[in-house]
Amino acid sequence: MATAEKQQAHELIERFPPEQLPAVVGMLQFLLLDPVARALATAPADDEPVTEEDRRRLHQTGPGVPMQDVLAEFGLTEADFPR
């Protein structure tokens, strides 16, 4: 199983354009160094519905981190994600 997954990872990496490879390498290195990040990346998706209380709390927490700042941490911009 691990061999097939490694092969799939190699194939996916090959599909990235050269200008995005530094970000991909950075993400892979981060996952290898940080066990929490690795656990988050492999955790199952949250399938619980969002409640009205959840929505209320989200609106009370204030502004989040701008998407441009998050992408910049990985060497990316919004242009890297065509719509």
Coordinates of all heavy atoms in Angstrom, one line a residue:
M1 N 0.8 -1.2 0.0 CA 0.0 0.0 0.0 C 0.9 1.3 0.0 O 0.6 2.2 -0.7 CB -0.9 0.0 1.2 CG -1.9 1.1 1.3 SD -3.1 1.0 0.0 CE -4.5 1.7 0.8
A2 N 1.9 1.3 0.8 CA 2.7 2.5 0.9 C 3.4 2.8 -0.4 O 3.6 3.9 -0.8 CB 3.7 2.4 2.1
T3 N 3.8 1.7 -1.1 CA 4.5 1.9 -2.4 C 3.5 2.6 -3.4 O 4.0 3.5 -4.1 CB 5.0 0.5 -2.9 OG1 5.8 -0.1 -2.0 CG2 5.7 0.7 -4.2
A4 N 2.3 2.2 -3.4 CA 1.3 2.8 -4.3 C 1.1 4.2 -4.0 O 1.0 5.1 -4.9 CB 0.0 2.0 -4.3
E5 N 1.0 4.5 -2.7 CA 0.8 5.9 -2.2 C 2.1 6.8 -2.6 O 1.9 7.9 -3.0 CB 0.5 6.0 -0.7 CG -0.8 5.4 -0.4 CD -1.1 5.3 1.1 OE1 -0.1 5.3 1.8 OE2 -2.3 5.2 1.4
K6 N 3.3 6.2 -2.4 CA 4.5 6.9 -2.8 C 4.5 7.2 -4.3 O 4.8 8.3 -4.7 CB 5.7 6.2 -2.4 CG 6.2 6.4 -1.0 CD 7.6 5.7 -0.9 CE 8.1 6.1 0.5 NZ 9.5 5.6 0.7
Q7 N 4.1 6.2 -5.1 CA 4.0 6.4 -6.5 C 3.0 7.5 -6.9 O 3.3 8.4 -7.7 CB 3.6 5.1 -7.2 CG 3.6 5.3 -8.8 CD 4.9 5.7 -9.4 OE1 6.0 5.3 -8.9 NE2 4.9 6.5 -10.4
Q8 N 1.9 7.5 -6.2 CA 0.9 8.6 -6.4 C 1.4 9.9 -6.1 O 1.2 10.9 -6.8 CB -0.4 8.3 -5.7 CG -1.5 9.3 -5.9 CD -2.7 9.0 -5.1 OE1 -2.8 8.3 -4.2 NE2 -3.8 9.7 -5.5
A9 N 2.1 10.0 -4.9 CA 2.7 11.3 -4.5 C 3.7 11.8 -5.6 O 3.7 13.0 -5.9 CB 3.4 11.1 -3.2
H10 N 4.5 10.9 -6.1 CA 5.5 11.3 -7.1 C 4.8 11.8 -8.4 O 5.2 12.8 -9.0 CB 6.4 10.1 -7.5 CG 7.5 9.8 -6.5 ND1 8.6 10.5 -6.4 CD2 7.5 8.8 -5.5 CE1 9.3 10.0 -5.4 NE2 8.7 9.0 -4.8
E11 N 3.7 11.1 -8.8 CA 3.0 11.5 -9.9 C 2.3 12.9 -9.7 O 2.3 13.7 -10.6 CB 1.9 10.5 -10.3 CG 2.5 9.2 -10.8 CD 1.5 8.1 -10.9 OE1 0.3 8.3 -10.7 OE2 1.9 6.9 -11.2
L12 N 1.8 13.1 -8.5 CA 1.2 14.4 -8.2 C 2.2 15.5 -8.3 O 2.0 16.6 -8.8 CB 0.5 14.4 -6.9 CG -0.8 13.5 -6.8 CD1 -1.3 13.4 -5.4 CD2 -1.9 14.1 -7.7
I13 N 3.4 15.3 -7.7 CA 4.5 16.3 -7.7 C 4.9 16.6 -9.1 O 5.1 17.8 -9.4 CB 5.7 15.8 -6.8 CG1 5.3 15.8 -5.3 CG2 6.9 16.7 -7.1 CD1 6.3 15.1 -4.4
E14 N 4.9 15.6 -10.0 CA 5.3 15.9 -11.4 C 4.4 16.8 -12.1 O 4.7 17.4 -13.0 CB 5.4 14.5 -12.1 CG 6.6 13.7 -11.7 CD 7.9 14.3 -12.1 OE1 8.1 15.0 -13.1 OE2 8.9 14.2 -11.2
R15 N 3.1 16.9 -11.6 CA 2.1 17.7 -12.3 C 2.2 19.2 -11.9 O 1.6 20.0 -12.6 CB 0.7 17.1 -11.9 CG 0.5 15.8 -12.6 CD -0.8 15.1 -12.2 NE -2.0 16.0 -12.3 CZ -3.2 15.7 -11.8 NH1 -3.4 14.6 -11.1 NH2 -4.2 16.6 -11.9
F16 N 3.0 19.5 -10.9 CA 3.1 20.9 -10.5 C 4.0 21.6 -11.5 O 5.0 21.1 -11.9 CB 3.7 21.0 -9.1 CG 2.7 20.8 -8.0 CD1 2.5 19.6 -7.4 CD2 1.9 21.9 -7.5 CE1 1.6 19.4 -6.4 CE2 1.0 21.7 -6.5 CZ 0.8 20.5 -5.9
P17 N 3.6 22.9 -11.8 CA 4.5 23.7 -12.6 C 5.8 24.0 -11.8 O 5.7 24.1 -10.6 CB 3.7 24.9 -12.9 CG 2.5 24.9 -12.0 CD 2.4 23.5 -11.5
P18 N 6.9 24.2 -12.5 CA 8.2 24.5 -11.8 C 8.1 25.6 -10.8 O 8.7 25.5 -9.7 CB 9.1 24.8 -12.9 CG 8.6 24.1 -14.1 CD 7.1 24.2 -13.9
E19 N 7.4 26.6 -11.0 CA 7.3 27.8 -10.1 C 6.6 27.5 -8.8 O 6.8 28.2 -7.9 CB 6.7 29.0 -10.8 CG 5.3 28.9 -11.2 CD 5.1 28.3 -12.6 OE1 6.0 27.8 -13.2 OE2 3.9 28.3 -13.1
Q20 N 5.8 26.4 -8.8 CA 5.1 26.1 -7.5 C 5.9 25.0 -6.7 O 5.6 24.7 -5.6 CB 3.7 25.5 -7.8 CG 2.8 26.6 -8.3 CD 1.4 26.1 -8.5 OE1 1.2 24.9 -8.5 NE2 0.4 27.0 -8.6
L21 N 6.9 24.4 -7.3 CA 7.7 23.4 -6.6 C 8.3 23.8 -5.3 O 8.3 23.1 -4.3 CB 8.7 22.8 -7.5 CG 8.2 21.9 -8.6 CD1 9.3 21.4 -9.5 CD2 7.4 20.7 -8.0
P22 N 8.8 25.1 -5.2 CA 9.4 25.5 -3.8 C 8.3 25.4 -2.7 O 8.6 25.0 -1.6 CB 9.9 26.9 -4.1 CG 10.2 26.9 -5.5 CD 9.1 26.1 -6.2
A23 N 7.1 25.8 -3.1 CA 6.0 25.8 -2.1 C 5.7 24.3 -1.7 O 5.4 24.0 -0.6 CB 4.8 26.5 -2.6
V24 N 5.6 23.5 -2.7 CA 5.3 22.0 -2.5 C 6.4 21.4 -1.6 O 6.1 20.7 -0.6 CB 5.2 21.3 -3.8 CG1 5.1 19.8 -3.5 CG2 4.1 21.8 -4.6
V25 N 7.7 21.7 -1.9 CA 8.8 21.2 -1.1 C 8.7 21.7 0.4 O 8.9 21.0 1.3 CB 10.1 21.5 -1.7 CG1 11.3 21.2 -0.8 CG2 10.3 20.8 -3.0
G26 N 8.4 23.0 0.5 CA 8.2 23.6 1.8 C 7.1 22.9 2.6 O 7.3 22.7 3.8
M27 N 6.0 22.7 2.0 CA 4.9 22.0 2.7 C 5.3 20.6 3.1 O 5.0 20.2 4.2 CB 3.7 21.9 1.8 CG 2.6 23.0 2.2 SD 1.0 22.8 1.4 CE 1.3 22.2 -0.2
L28 N 6.0 19.9 2.2 CA 6.4 18.5 2.6 C 7.4 18.5 3.7 O 7.3 17.7 4.6 CB 7.0 17.8 1.3 CG 6.0 17.5 0.2 CD1 6.8 17.0 -1.0 CD2 5.0 16.5 0.7
Q29 N 8.3 19.4 3.7 CA 9.3 19.5 4.8 C 8.6 19.9 6.1 O 8.9 19.3 7.1 CB 10.4 20.6 4.5 CG 11.3 20.1 3.4 CD 12.2 21.2 2.9 OE1 11.9 22.4 3.0 NE2 13.4 20.8 2.5
F30 N 7.6 20.8 6.0 CA 6.9 21.2 7.2 C 6.2 20.0 7.8 O 6.2 19.7 9.0 CB 5.9 22.3 6.9 CG 5.1 22.7 8.0 CD1 5.6 23.6 9.0 CD2 3.7 22.4 8.1 CE1 4.9 24.0 10.0 CE2 3.0 22.8 9.2 CZ 3.5 23.6 10.2
L31 N 5.5 19.2 6.9 CA 4.8 18.0 7.4 C 5.7 17.0 8.0 O 5.4 16.3 9.0 CB 4.0 17.4 6.3 CG 2.8 18.1 5.8 CD1 2.2 17.5 4.6 CD2 1.8 18.3 6.9
L32 N 6.9 16.8 7.5 CA 7.9 15.9 8.1 C 8.4 16.3 9.4 O 8.7 15.5 10.3 CB 9.1 15.7 7.1 CG 8.8 14.9 5.9 CD1 10.0 14.9 4.9 CD2 8.5 13.4 6.3
L33 N 8.6 17.6 9.6 CA 9.2 18.2 10.8 C 8.2 18.4 12.0 O 8.5 18.3 13.1 CB 9.8 19.5 10.5 CG 11.0 19.4 9.6 CD1 11.5 20.9 9.3 CD2 12.1 18.6 10.2
D34 N 6.9 18.5 11.6 CA 5.9 18.9 12.6 C 4.9 17.8 12.8 O 4.0 17.7 11.9 CB 5.2 20.2 12.2 CG 4.3 20.7 13.3 OD1 3.9 20.0 14.2 OD2 3.9 21.9 13.2
P35 N 4.9 17.0 13.8 CA 3.9 15.9 14.0 C 2.5 16.4 14.1 O 1.6 15.7 13.6 CB 4.4 15.2 15.2 CG 5.2 16.1 16.0 CD 5.8 17.1 14.9
V36 N 2.3 17.6 14.6 CA 0.9 18.1 14.7 C 0.4 18.4 13.3 O -0.8 18.1 13.0 CB 0.8 19.4 15.6 CG1 -0.5 20.0 15.6 CG2 1.3 19.0 17.0
A37 N 1.2 19.1 12.5 CA 0.8 19.4 11.1 C 0.5 18.1 10.4 O -0.5 18.0 9.6 CB 1.9 20.2 10.4
R38 N 1.3 17.1 10.6 CA 1.1 15.8 9.9 C -0.3 15.2 10.3 O -1.0 14.7 9.5 CB 2.2 14.8 10.2 CG 2.1 13.5 9.4 CD 3.4 12.7 9.6 NE 3.8 12.4 10.9 CZ 4.9 12.9 11.5 NH1 5.7 13.7 10.8 NH2 5.2 12.6 12.7
A39 N -0.6 15.3 11.6 CA -1.8 14.7 12.2 C -3.0 15.5 11.6 O -4.0 14.9 11.2 CB -1.8 14.8 13.7
L40 N -2.9 16.8 11.5 CA -4.0 17.6 10.9 C -4.2 17.3 9.4 O -5.3 17.2 9.0 CB -3.7 19.1 11.1 CG -3.8 19.6 12.5 CD1 -3.3 21.1 12.6 CD2 -5.2 19.5 13.0
A41 N -3.1 17.1 8.7 CA -3.2 16.8 7.3 C -3.8 15.5 7.0 O -4.5 15.3 6.0 CB -1.8 16.9 6.7
T42 N -3.7 14.5 7.9 CA -4.3 13.2 7.7 C -5.5 12.9 8.5 O -6.1 11.8 8.4 CB -3.2 12.1 8.1 OG1 -2.9 12.3 9.5 CG2 -2.0 12.2 7.2
A43 N -6.0 13.9 9.2 CA -7.3 13.7 10.0 C -8.5 13.6 9.1 O -8.5 14.3 8.0 CB -7.4 14.9 11.0
P44 N -9.5 12.9 9.4 CA -10.7 12.8 8.6 C -11.4 14.2 8.6 O -11.3 15.0 9.6 CB -11.5 11.8 9.3 CG -11.0 11.6 10.7 CD -9.6 12.0 10.6
A45 N -12.1 14.4 7.6 CA -12.9 15.7 7.5 C -14.0 15.8 8.5 O -14.5 14.7 8.9 CB -13.5 15.8 6.1
D46 N -14.2 17.0 9.0 CA -15.3 17.2 10.0 C -16.6 17.1 9.2 O -16.9 17.9 8.4 CB -15.1 18.6 10.7 CG -16.2 18.8 11.7 OD1 -17.0 18.0 12.0 OD2 -16.2 20.0 12.2
D47 N -17.4 16.2 9.6 CA -18.7 16.0 8.9 C -19.9 16.5 9.7 O -21.1 16.2 9.4 CB -18.9 14.6 8.4 CG -18.9 13.6 9.6 OD1 -18.7 14.0 10.7 OD2 -19.2 12.4 9.3
E48 N -19.6 17.1 10.9 CA -20.8 17.6 11.7 C -21.3 18.9 11.0 O -20.6 19.7 10.6 CB -20.3 18.0 13.1 CG -19.9 16.8 13.9 CD -19.5 17.1 15.3 OE1 -20.1 18.1 15.9 OE2 -18.7 16.5 15.9
P49 N -22.7 19.0 11.0 CA -23.3 20.2 10.5 C -23.0 21.4 11.3 O -22.8 21.3 12.5 CB -24.8 19.9 10.5 CG -24.9 18.8 11.5 CD -23.7 18.1 11.5
V50 N -22.9 22.6 10.7 CA -22.7 23.8 11.4 C -24.0 24.3 12.0 O -25.1 24.4 11.3 CB -22.2 24.9 10.4 CG1 -22.0 26.2 11.1 CG2 -20.9 24.5 9.8
T51 N -24.0 24.5 13.3 CA -25.3 25.0 14.0 C -25.4 26.5 14.0 O -24.4 27.2 13.7 CB -25.3 24.4 15.4 OG1 -24.2 25.1 16.1 CG2 -25.1 22.9 15.5
E52 N -26.5 27.0 14.4 CA -26.7 28.4 14.5 C -25.8 28.9 15.6 O -25.2 30.0 15.5 CB -28.2 28.7 14.9 CG -29.1 28.6 13.7 CD -28.6 29.5 12.5 OE1 -28.3 30.6 12.7 OE2 -28.7 29.0 11.4
E53 N -25.6 28.2 16.7 CA -24.6 28.6 17.7 C -23.2 28.7 17.2 O -22.5 29.7 17.5 CB -24.6 27.6 18.9 CG -23.8 28.0 20.0 CD -23.8 27.1 21.2 OE1 -24.6 26.1 21.2 OE2 -23.0 27.2 22.1
D54 N -22.8 27.8 16.3 CA -21.5 27.9 15.7 C -21.4 29.2 14.9 O -20.4 29.9 15.0 CB -21.3 26.7 14.7 CG -21.2 25.3 15.4 OD1 -20.8 25.3 16.6 OD2 -21.5 24.3 14.8
R55 N -22.4 29.4 14.1 CA -22.4 30.7 13.3 C -22.3 31.9 14.1 O -21.5 32.8 13.8 CB -23.6 30.7 12.4 CG -23.6 29.8 11.2 CD -24.8 30.0 10.3 NE -24.8 29.1 9.2 CZ -25.3 27.8 9.3 NH1 -25.9 27.4 10.4 NH2 -25.2 27.0 8.2
R56 N -23.0 31.9 15.2 CA -23.0 33.1 16.1 C -21.6 33.3 16.7 O -21.1 34.4 16.7 CB -24.0 32.9 17.3 CG -24.1 34.0 18.2 CD -25.1 33.8 19.3 NE -25.1 32.5 20.0 CZ -24.1 32.2 20.9 NH1 -23.2 33.0 21.3 NH2 -24.2 31.0 21.5
R57 N -21.0 32.2 17.1 CA -19.6 32.3 17.7 C -18.6 32.8 16.7 O -17.7 33.5 17.0 CB -19.2 30.9 18.2 CG -19.8 30.5 19.5 CD -19.1 29.3 20.0 NE -19.9 28.7 21.1 CZ -19.9 27.5 21.5 NH1 -19.0 26.6 20.9 NH2 -20.6 27.0 22.5
L58 N -18.8 32.3 15.4 CA -17.8 32.7 14.4 C -17.9 34.2 14.1 O -16.9 34.9 13.9 CB -18.2 32.0 13.1 CG -17.7 30.5 13.0 CD1 -18.3 29.9 11.8 CD2 -16.2 30.4 13.1
H59 N -19.1 34.8 14.2 CA -19.3 36.2 14.0 C -18.8 37.0 15.2 O -18.5 38.2 15.0 CB -20.8 36.5 13.7 CG -21.2 36.0 12.3 ND1 -20.8 36.5 11.2 CD2 -22.0 35.0 12.0 CE1 -21.3 35.9 10.1 NE2 -22.1 34.9 10.6
Q60 N -18.7 36.4 16.3 CA -18.3 37.1 17.5 C -16.7 37.2 17.6 O -16.2 37.9 18.4 CB -18.8 36.5 18.8 CG -20.3 36.7 19.0 CD -20.9 35.9 20.2 OE1 -20.2 35.1 20.7 NE2 -22.1 36.3 20.6
T61 N -16.0 36.3 16.9 CA -14.6 36.2 17.1 C -13.8 37.3 16.5 O -12.6 37.4 16.7 CB -14.1 34.8 16.7 OG1 -14.4 34.7 15.3 CG2 -14.7 33.7 17.4
G62 N -14.4 38.0 15.6 CA -13.7 39.1 14.9 C -13.0 38.6 13.7 O -13.2 37.5 13.2
P63 N -12.2 39.5 13.1 CA -11.6 39.2 11.8 C -10.6 38.1 11.9 O -9.9 37.9 12.9 CB -11.0 40.5 11.3 CG -10.7 41.2 12.6 CD -11.8 40.8 13.6
G64 N -10.5 37.3 10.8 CA -9.5 36.3 10.8 C -8.2 36.8 10.1 O -8.0 38.0 10.0
V65 N -7.4 35.8 9.7 CA -6.1 36.2 9.0 C -6.5 36.3 7.5 O -7.1 35.4 6.9 CB -5.1 35.0 9.2 CG1 -3.8 35.3 8.5 CG2 -4.8 34.8 10.7
P66 N -6.0 37.4 6.9 CA -6.3 37.5 5.5 C -5.7 36.4 4.7 O -4.6 35.9 5.0 CB -5.6 38.9 5.1 CG -5.5 39.6 6.4 CD -5.3 38.5 7.5
M67 N -6.4 35.9 3.7 CA -6.0 34.8 2.8 C -4.6 35.1 2.2 O -3.8 34.2 2.1 CB -7.0 34.5 1.7 CG -6.6 33.4 0.8 SD -6.4 31.8 1.7 CE -8.0 31.3 2.0
Q68 N -4.3 36.3 1.8 CA -3.0 36.6 1.2 C -1.9 36.3 2.2 O -0.8 35.8 1.8 CB -3.0 38.1 0.8 CG -3.9 38.5 -0.3 CD -5.3 38.8 0.2 OE1 -5.6 38.6 1.4 NE2 -6.1 39.3 -0.7
D69 N -2.1 36.6 3.5 CA -1.1 36.3 4.5 C -0.9 34.8 4.6 O 0.3 34.3 4.8 CB -1.5 36.9 5.8 CG -1.5 38.4 5.8 OD1 -1.0 39.0 4.8 OD2 -2.0 39.0 6.8
V70 N -1.9 34.0 4.6 CA -1.8 32.6 4.8 C -1.1 32.0 3.6 O -0.2 31.2 3.7 CB -3.2 31.9 4.9 CG1 -3.1 30.4 4.9 CG2 -3.9 32.4 6.2
L71 N -1.5 32.4 2.4 CA -0.8 31.9 1.2 C 0.6 32.3 1.1 O 1.5 31.5 0.7 CB -1.5 32.4 -0.1 CG -3.0 31.9 -0.3 CD1 -3.6 32.6 -1.5 CD2 -3.0 30.4 -0.5
A72 N 1.0 33.5 1.6 CA 2.3 34.0 1.6 C 3.2 33.1 2.4 O 4.4 32.9 2.1 CB 2.4 35.4 2.0
E73 N 2.7 32.5 3.5 CA 3.5 31.7 4.3 C 4.0 30.4 3.6 O 5.0 29.8 4.0 CB 2.7 31.2 5.6 CG 2.5 32.3 6.6 CD 1.8 31.8 7.9 OE1 2.1 30.6 8.2 OE2 1.1 32.5 8.5
F74 N 3.3 30.1 2.5 CA 3.7 28.9 1.7 C 4.3 29.3 0.4 O 4.4 28.5 -0.5 CB 2.4 28.0 1.5 CG 1.9 27.4 2.8 CD1 0.8 27.9 3.4 CD2 2.5 26.3 3.3 CE1 0.3 27.3 4.6 CE2 2.1 25.7 4.5 CZ 1.0 26.2 5.1
G75 N 4.6 30.6 0.2 CA 5.1 31.1 -1.0 C 4.2 31.1 -2.2 O 4.5 30.9 -3.3
L76 N 2.9 31.2 -1.9 CA 1.8 31.2 -2.9 C 1.1 32.5 -2.9 O 1.2 33.3 -2.0 CB 0.8 30.1 -2.6 CG 1.4 28.7 -2.5 CD1 0.3 27.7 -1.9 CD2 1.8 28.2 -3.9
T77 N 0.4 32.8 -4.0 CA -0.5 33.9 -4.1 C -1.9 33.4 -4.7 O -2.0 32.2 -5.1 CB 0.0 35.0 -5.1 OG1 0.0 34.4 -6.4 CG2 1.4 35.4 -4.7
E78 N -2.9 34.2 -4.7 CA -4.2 33.8 -5.2 C -4.1 33.4 -6.7 O -4.9 32.6 -7.2 CB -5.2 34.9 -5.0 CG -5.6 35.1 -3.5 CD -6.7 36.1 -3.3 OE1 -7.5 36.3 -4.3 OE2 -6.7 36.7 -2.2
A79 N -3.1 34.0 -7.4 CA -2.9 33.7 -8.8 C -2.5 32.2 -9.0 O -2.7 31.6 -10.1 CB -1.9 34.6 -9.4
D80 N -2.0 31.5 -8.0 CA -1.7 30.1 -8.1 C -2.9 29.2 -8.1 O -2.7 28.0 -8.3 CB -0.7 29.7 -6.9 CG 0.6 30.5 -7.0 OD1 1.2 30.5 -8.1 OD2 1.0 31.0 -5.9
F81 N -4.1 29.8 -7.8 CA -5.3 29.0 -7.8 C -6.3 29.5 -8.8 O -7.1 30.4 -8.4 CB -5.9 29.0 -6.3 CG -4.9 28.5 -5.3 CD1 -4.1 29.3 -4.6 CD2 -4.9 27.1 -5.1 CE1 -3.2 28.8 -3.7 CE2 -4.0 26.6 -4.2 CZ -3.2 27.4 -3.5
P82 N -6.2 29.1 -10.0 CA -7.2 29.6 -11.0 C -8.6 29.3 -10.6 O -8.9 28.2 -10.1 CB -6.8 28.9 -12.3 CG -6.0 27.7 -11.9 CD -5.4 28.0 -10.5
R83 N -9.5 30.1 -11.0 CA -10.9 29.9 -10.6 C -11.7 29.2 -11.7 O -11.4 29.2 -12.8 CB -11.6 31.3 -10.4 CG -11.0 31.9 -9.1 CD -11.6 33.2 -8.8 NE -10.8 33.9 -7.8 CZ -11.3 34.2 -6.6 NH1 -12.5 33.9 -6.3 NH2 -10.5 34.8 -5.7

